[in-house]
Amino acid sequence: MIQADLSDKVTVVTGASAGMGKAIARRFAECGSRVVLTGRRMDRLESLAEEIGQAGGTALAVQCDVTDWSQVKSLVERALEQYGQIDVMVNNAGFGHLKPFADTSVDEIDSQIDVNFKGLCYGCKAVLDHMVGRRTGHIINIGSVGSVRHYPSFAVYVGAKHAVLGFSRSLYEEVREQGVRVNVLCPA
């Protein structure tokens, strides 16, 4: 496996308390990046920060609900206060309800769109001025195979993940000349 040297970088990972976000945060830390772990479950974030620290890495746990603009803005401010820069923003927080759309409640529609799409937009907005000001930065938005394919009983999730792909491609066109890269990963 190729080992990138990210020892002079700072990476923010949303949804880092479990699953893919936790794995992404570990990998960036293994490559030397100082990692800002964020999610709603502080106990899990603190446990991961301790694990990363014991392995020789550096991690800061910050509780944040990505659906709340003020919390996302505060997260970025906290990361900048602690480390002075943000080089990589991984917008990973996401989830889906497996059920037919006819059985999906309005609250379930709102929560999937809020986390999977609006939260990702908030993360991008919160770091963009900093990255454009430095003329460098990398935004990694986590989509899904649902960003490019359709699946029954996942209509809202797939719709939100399609939005992630379109938004990310458009944002890239806006900021690429200013030194900021925007990529979408679409895991299955």
Side-chain angles (χ1 to χ4, degrees):
M1 180 186 302
I2 297 172
Q3 178 77 18
D5 180 10
L6 302 176
S7 56
D8 62 339
K9 305 296 183 195
V10 175
T11 302
V12 176
V13 181
T14 70
S17 63
M20 207 165 51
K22 189 174 185 178
I24 290 168
R26 281 182 179 139
R27 186 69 182 126
F28 271 92
E30 288 169 4
C31 292
S33 183
R34 293 165 286 171
V35 183
V36 180
L37 312 167
T38 185
R40 292 176 296 161
R41 296 172 286 198
M42 192 62 174
D43 58 329
R44 291 184 181 192
L45 297 171
E46 288 171 339
S47 176
L48 180 57
E50 184 177 327
E51 175 191 322
I52 289 171
Q54 289 174 350
T58 303
L60 172 67
V62 179
Q63 190 171 26
C64 177
D65 178 346
V66 297
T67 68
D68 182 329
W69 165 246
S70 64
Q71 289 186 40
V72 177
K73 188 176 174 198
S74 293
L75 158 70
V76 168
E77 290 168 354
R78 175 92 187 274
L80 290 172
E81 286 170 12
Q82 182 76 24
Y83 298 120
Q85 68 192 51
I86 296 173
D87 301 284
V88 181
M89 178 70 174
V90 181
N91 290 299
N92 167 73
F95 80 100
H97 290 292
L98 175 62
K99 63 169 52 173
F101 183 70
D103 298 333
T104 302
S105 72
V106 170
D107 287 342
E108 290 168 334
I109 292 169
D110 289 345
S111 64
Q112 289 178 88
I113 292 171
D114 288 352
V115 172
N116 292 301
F117 184 57
K118 278 177 55 179
L120 178 140
C121 290
Y122 290 168
C124 292
K125 183 150 185 68
V127 298
L128 204 55
D129 284 345
H130 170 71
M131 289 181 173
V132 167
R134 293 178 64 219
R135 298 199 57 78
T136 186
H138 196 160
I139 296 170
I140 302 171
N141 292 329
I142 304 300
S144 163
V145 68
S147 296
V148 294
R149 297 193 58 183
H150 58 277
Y151 295 95
S153 298
F154 269 121
V156 177
Y157 174 80
V158 166
K161 291 300 186 175
H162 268 74
V164 166
L165 185 59
F167 167 80
S168 300
R169 287 178 171 170
S170 294
L171 181 60
Y172 169 72
E173 292 299 329
E174 289 182 24
V175 299
R176 66 189 178 122
E177 298 294 326
Q178 298 164 331
V180 180
R181 291 173 292 164
V182 181
N183 293 102
V184 181
L185 297 179
C186 296

